[in-house]
Amino acid sequence: MERLNNKESLFMFLYCIVTAGSFYTVTELVGIDTSPAFHYKTYVKEIIVALVPLMITVSLPVIRKMFLNSFVLTSLSLKMSWVYIIGFLLIQYLIMKITYDYGILISNSWRIFYNLEIPYITHFQYPVLGFTLYVIARVLIVPIIEEFFYRVFLIAFFSKWVNNWIAVILQMLIFTVNHPFSPFSAGVFGLLLGILYVRTKSIIPGLLLHSLWNLYSALVMNFDLWFIPRW
C-alpha cells in the first residue's frame, strides 16, 4: 500500500481530528446513543451523523482523491474477493451467535430484547417508513463513510509508521471503541473488514460486506421470517 509523505501525513492527521470531532459533536447534538432503536428519529439522526463526515471527505481535494481512488471496480472480477465476502459473512454470523448466546461483551438490553423475538418493525406506526430509514442509514450511508474512514484512511495513515497488518489492528481497535455496545463482535468485524481491504486494495468488497451484514441484521431484528436464520 502506498506510503504517505510528511506533508500528506500532517494533512491526514488534521483530517482525522476534524472527522473524529464531527462524529463526536454530531452524535452528542442528536443524542443518538440514547435513542431507542425502533424510533424514526434514531435513523434520521444516524443519517445526519454519517453525512457530516462524508461531506467533509468530499469537500477536501486530497481526501476526495483518496476516496474516489479507493473504488477499484476490478476487485469485483476477482474470485477471491467473493470468497472473502461470503466467508467473512459466515464468520461474523458465528461471532454474533456466540455473542448473543453467551452475552459476550454486548449490551444486556440488546440481548434481552433480541431473545424476546419482538421485531422492531412492530413498534412503528408506519413500518415501511421505519424500515426504509434503517436501510438508508445503516445499509447505504453509514457503511460508505465507515469503510472509507476506518479502512482506507486510517490504514493509509498508520502505514506511514507501521506495516499494513499492524495498521489493520490499530483501525480495528478504534472501530471497536466507537461501537461500545457490542465491542467483541464489532472488533472481529473491524478486523475482517481491514483484512478484506488490504487483500483487495479496494473499498468495494468491504462496502458490500458491511452493507450486506447490516441488511441481514435489519431483517433479523425487524422481521420474524422462518427463512432468515437468527443468531
Side-chain angles (χ1 to χ4, degrees), residues 93 114 216 220 225-231:
Y93 170 79
Y114 177 78
Y216 163 71
V220 168
L225 302 174
W226 66 269
F227 56 86
I228 300 178
R230 292 177 64 83
W231 300 318

Side-chain angles (χ1 to χ4, degrees), residues 99-100 104-112 180-183:
T99 298
Y100 272 85
I104 301 174
L105 295 178
I106 190 168
S107 169
N108 194 47
S109 61
W110 283 16
R111 186 167 173 249
I112 292 173
F181 296 107
S182 56

Side-chain angles (χ1 to χ4, degrees), residues 83-203:
V83 172
Y84 278 124
I85 291 172
I86 296 172
F88 286 172
L89 277 173
L90 293 175
I91 291 174
Q92 187 63 13
Y93 170 79
L94 292 175
I95 292 299
M96 286 298 289
K97 185 166 182 58
I98 293 171
T99 298
Y100 272 85
D101 284 350
Y102 298 98
I104 301 174
L105 295 178
I106 190 168
S107 169
N108 194 47
S109 61
W110 283 16
R111 186 167 173 249
I112 292 173
F113 194 90
Y114 177 78
N115 289 336
L116 290 174
E117 298 188 18
I118 303 175
Y120 285 163
I121 204 75
T122 60
H123 293 271
F124 289 111
Q125 182 179 0
Y126 304 104
V128 174
L129 175 59
F131 188 72
T132 299
L133 288 174
Y134 181 104
V135 170
I136 292 174
R138 299 190 185 181
V139 178
L140 298 178
I141 300 178
V142 170
I144 293 175
I145 188 58
E146 287 197 336
E147 286 313 299
F148 174 72
F149 183 71
Y150 292 108
R151 262 57 75 177
V152 181
F153 172 77
L154 286 182
I155 289 177
F157 178 73
F158 289 131
S159 293
K160 170 68 177 178
W161 298 280
V162 298
N163 66 50
N164 288 338
W165 295 113
I166 295 178
V168 167
I169 298 297
L170 293 174
Q171 67 80 29
M172 177 268 288
L173 293 174
I174 296 175
F175 184 73
T176 302
V177 169
N178 287 325
H179 292 76
F181 296 107
S182 56
F184 175 64
S185 60
V188 173
F189 199 42
L191 178 62
L192 296 176
L193 289 164
I195 293 173
L196 186 55
Y197 174 67
V198 170
R199 287 297 190 187
T200 64
K201 306 296 192 297
S202 172
I203 194 178

